[in-house]
Amino acid sequence: MLKFTGLDDLRHSHLYPRTADELEATKRGLDANFSTRLQLHDRAPRAVIDAAVTLMEFLRDPARPGTHDTEALAVAALRYLFGEEDAIPDQLEFTGYLDDSIILDAVIAAIAPSPRTPVEPPRPAEASRPAEPSRSPASDPSGDLLAPAPRADSA
């Protein structure tokens, strides 16, 4: 059984591909039978399926920024989901996929803010535009909150 207290446990497990060759071979294997493996988990919550699909799309996308570690973490998380050993057996109603969900979500959170992903600075027009005054039913005598707010210079 895999003890999971964080991503380092996943990195040190047998699920984590150590070499580039092992990583590529495992990615090919996962890709080749991904849909079949997902169908075997038809009782899994939608969030688990969505997370697995997200990780597989990450691995399939040649344009995405990624390192050996981010790809190996994604592979290890998918291998955990599809593997036989589980901290909580998948057959248990309601809780069976809790461990899978935690691992998948932790890996997605770890690889999402990749340091090589460019962050767009705010555009000058948006940064300098003053905030609009807030409106509530008490501050809007007309009672129509969907109507445009009166401009300060038109009063």
Side-chain angles (χ1 to χ4, degrees):
M1 175 177 8
L2 177 69
K3 178 187 102 180
F4 182 75
T5 57
L7 293 178
D8 282 339
D9 289 334
L10 196 58
R11 283 184 182 102
H12 293 99
S13 75
H14 65 283
L15 302 170
Y16 186 91
R18 306 267 176 252
T19 67
D21 290 341
E22 183 185 3
L23 176 62
E24 289 307 313
T26 308
K27 282 171 39 178
R28 280 193 304 275
L30 284 169
D31 192 27
N33 58 16
F34 183 72
S35 331
T36 305
R37 288 182 178 205
L38 270 186
Q39 289 172 358
L40 294 174
H41 292 274
D42 60 340
R43 293 182 48 211
R46 186 77 210 162
V48 170
I49 300 299
D50 290 346
V53 169
T54 297
L55 288 176
M56 197 66 232
E57 287 174 352
F58 169 77
L59 291 171
R60 287 176 175 159
D61 183 5
R64 56 123 176 85
T67 63
H68 178 88
D69 184 57
T70 58
E71 289 184 10
L73 281 171
V75 163
L78 289 171
R79 287 173 82 181
Y80 183 82
L81 171 66
F82 297 139
E84 292 296 317
E85 68 180 73
D86 241 348
I88 303 172
D90 293 339
Q91 293 79 18
L92 291 177
E93 188 111 15
F94 302 114
T95 58
Y97 284 95
L98 185 59
D99 57 327
D100 303 276
S101 180
I102 290 169
I103 289 174
L104 292 168
D105 289 346
V107 169
I108 289 171
I111 66 177
S114 175
R116 296 195 300 175
T117 303
V119 176
E120 232 179 273
R123 290 184 233 150
E126 291 175 357
S128 63
R129 186 173 64 202
E132 291 191 24
S134 65
R135 294 176 19 189
S136 68
S139 66
D140 186 6
S142 71
D144 187 4
L145 291 175
L146 298 176
R151 295 186 59 162
D153 58 349
S154 64

